[in-house]
Amino acid sequence: MTATTTTPPGVLAALRRTPTPVRYLLGGVLVNQFGAFVQTFMVLYLVFRGFSAGQAGAAIAAYSVGSIVGGLIGGELVHRIGPRATITAAMLGSAAILTVVPFLATPALFAVLLAALLLAGMATQSYRPAAAVLLSDLMPDDVRVLGFSMMRIALNLGAALSPLIAAGLVLLDWDLLLWFDAATALAYACLARWLLPDIRVERQEKTGTRVAYGIVLRDGRFWFFLASVVLGTIIYVQYTVSLPLKISSDGHSTGLYSAVLVTASAVLILCELKITTYVTRWPGHVAATAGTVLMGLGVAGFGISGGSAAALIACTVVFVFGIMINGPTMFAYPSSFPAAVKSRYISAHQTMFGLGMALGPLFGVAAWIGLGNGVWWLCGGLAMVAALCAFLGMRVPRTA
């Protein structure tokens, strides 16, 4: 991504210039996120239904593997049937599978349940490449990064409110978690079918799918970018895996962790769009590198917080500012490639993001057991590697 030669519009101007279909797209993302309970509550749900902790972990692993595969499938479907049809099919599939999961949630049907959750992960996550392609095609070029920032805010706002919804549903019936998740997916499918435009993505001329993905595989610079995405996502996950373990080991109550989560959500929702209006004036590789370094400083700070609640919250703010600086630019970067291969680049990005989300918990638990508080120094070092990869992967060569 190159530096913008004109001053990007402010937040209000960007919001006014957001096309109506993009508003519908973001609204659908928000509605769907309200019911995104599988990864957050599935372990508790399965334990409540009589499964062991090991079986619950295997179920989440199956869903995560499905999510990774879903990113690749979604990218291919965008080229074959278009973004609108991909979102509609993905959400209808997700709704159908999640509806029957409660009927499979018995230890006697564990193998069938694993298969269902694998398919649910594939269906649920395969909409993401299509949503990213639509957003990049519909948003004006000079506010495209702000568009991806809006999508991230929709995801974060839904993630902040969904636990409150879940808490109320659990009081009535645990099965309602899955059925509400299915209902939000169905609502998104209906919204996509009737309100989103039917845009057809340009196909790669005279080449098949294998050759199209070969273009991505031969793009060495993009591999550096993908490495940064995987490492950055693994580091990001420690905010929900290693950090609560640290807070507990320091003798703090879960109330402190709740305060950290609320602080992070509030900062993201209130500040990201404004931060992005400044960041879009920078070259893409500068924003990605600086934000990843700041993330690393934030997580390394957890290691020297000394058990201070104020220090933990301050480090969280630094960490979140790093995410706000690098996140929108890195999510928008794959959409800057030519239309004929754009969905494959977006699909590769989403797949690596899903891989990082799947590996993050395993890494965090193992690192905490082996290193204790040293996990934060390790994460800080990995963040510097991720920053270097972002710089190498996104910097435009002088000959370009």
Side-chain angles (χ1 to χ4, degrees), residues 243-244 246-260 307 309 312:
L243 186 56
K246 172 180 173 55
I247 288 174
S248 177
S249 69
D250 287 342
H252 296 292
S253 69
T254 55
L256 176 58
Y257 184 54
S258 297
V260 168
L312 286 175

Side-chain angles (χ1 to χ4, degrees), residues 166-251:
L169 295 174
V170 166
L171 295 176
L172 300 174
D173 190 330
W174 278 84
D175 289 339
L176 289 176
L177 289 177
L178 280 304
W179 291 330
F180 186 84
D181 198 339
T184 58
L186 180 60
Y188 191 12
C190 294
L191 185 151
R193 176 61 183 84
W194 298 111
L195 297 178
L196 296 183
D198 187 16
I199 295 176
R200 292 293 172 170
V201 175
E202 177 185 344
R203 282 181 173 269
Q204 180 73 12
E205 294 292 338
K206 300 181 181 179
T207 61
T209 298
R210 184 176 301 176
V211 175
Y213 274 110
I215 294 172
V216 179
L217 292 174
R218 291 192 297 271
D219 190 340
R221 288 199 307 123
F222 193 67
W223 276 101
F224 279 110
F225 169 78
L226 294 178
S228 180
V229 170
V230 172
L231 292 175
T233 306
I234 290 173
I235 295 166
Y236 169 77
V237 171
Q238 303 321 306
Y239 160 71
T240 59
V241 175
S242 297
L243 186 56
L245 294 175
K246 172 180 173 55
I247 288 174
S248 177
S249 69
D250 287 342

Side-chain angles (χ1 to χ4, degrees), residues 213-393:
Y213 274 110
I215 294 172
V216 179
L217 292 174
R218 291 192 297 271
D219 190 340
R221 288 199 307 123
F222 193 67
W223 276 101
F224 279 110
F225 169 78
L226 294 178
S228 180
V229 170
V230 172
L231 292 175
T233 306
I234 290 173
I235 295 166
Y236 169 77
V237 171
Q238 303 321 306
Y239 160 71
T240 59
V241 175
S242 297
L243 186 56
L245 294 175
K246 172 180 173 55
I247 288 174
S248 177
S249 69
D250 287 342
H252 296 292
S253 69
T254 55
L256 176 58
Y257 184 54
S258 297
V260 168
L261 293 177
V262 170
T263 299
S265 296
V267 172
L268 278 168
I269 293 169
L270 295 176
C271 300
E272 181 163 317
L273 276 179
K274 187 62 178 177
I275 293 293
T276 305
T277 61
Y278 294 107
V279 171
T280 51
R281 305 173 189 179
W282 305 352
H285 68 280
V286 173
T289 303
T292 306
V293 168
L294 200 58
M295 279 180 60
L297 294 177
V299 294
F302 290 139
I304 57 173
S305 62
S308 166
L312 286 175
I313 291 178
C315 290
T316 298
V317 172
V318 173
F319 174 72
V320 170
F321 264 84
I323 293 172
M324 290 190 293
I325 290 172
N326 73 356
T329 299
M330 293 187 73
F331 268 78
Y333 177 65
S335 69
S336 66
F337 289 87
V341 293
K342 177 166 59 176
S343 73
R344 272 71 182 234
Y345 277 86
I346 290 175
S347 175
H349 169 239
Q350 294 290 345
T351 300
M352 291 299 104
F353 179 76
L355 179 62
M357 292 294 289
L359 294 178
L362 302 176
F363 168 86
V365 172
W368 179 261
I369 293 174
L371 301 174
N373 209 47
V375 65
W376 304 116
W377 295 105
L378 176 58
C379 286
L382 289 177
M384 298 307 111
V385 176
L388 176 61
C389 289
F391 178 82
L392 296 174

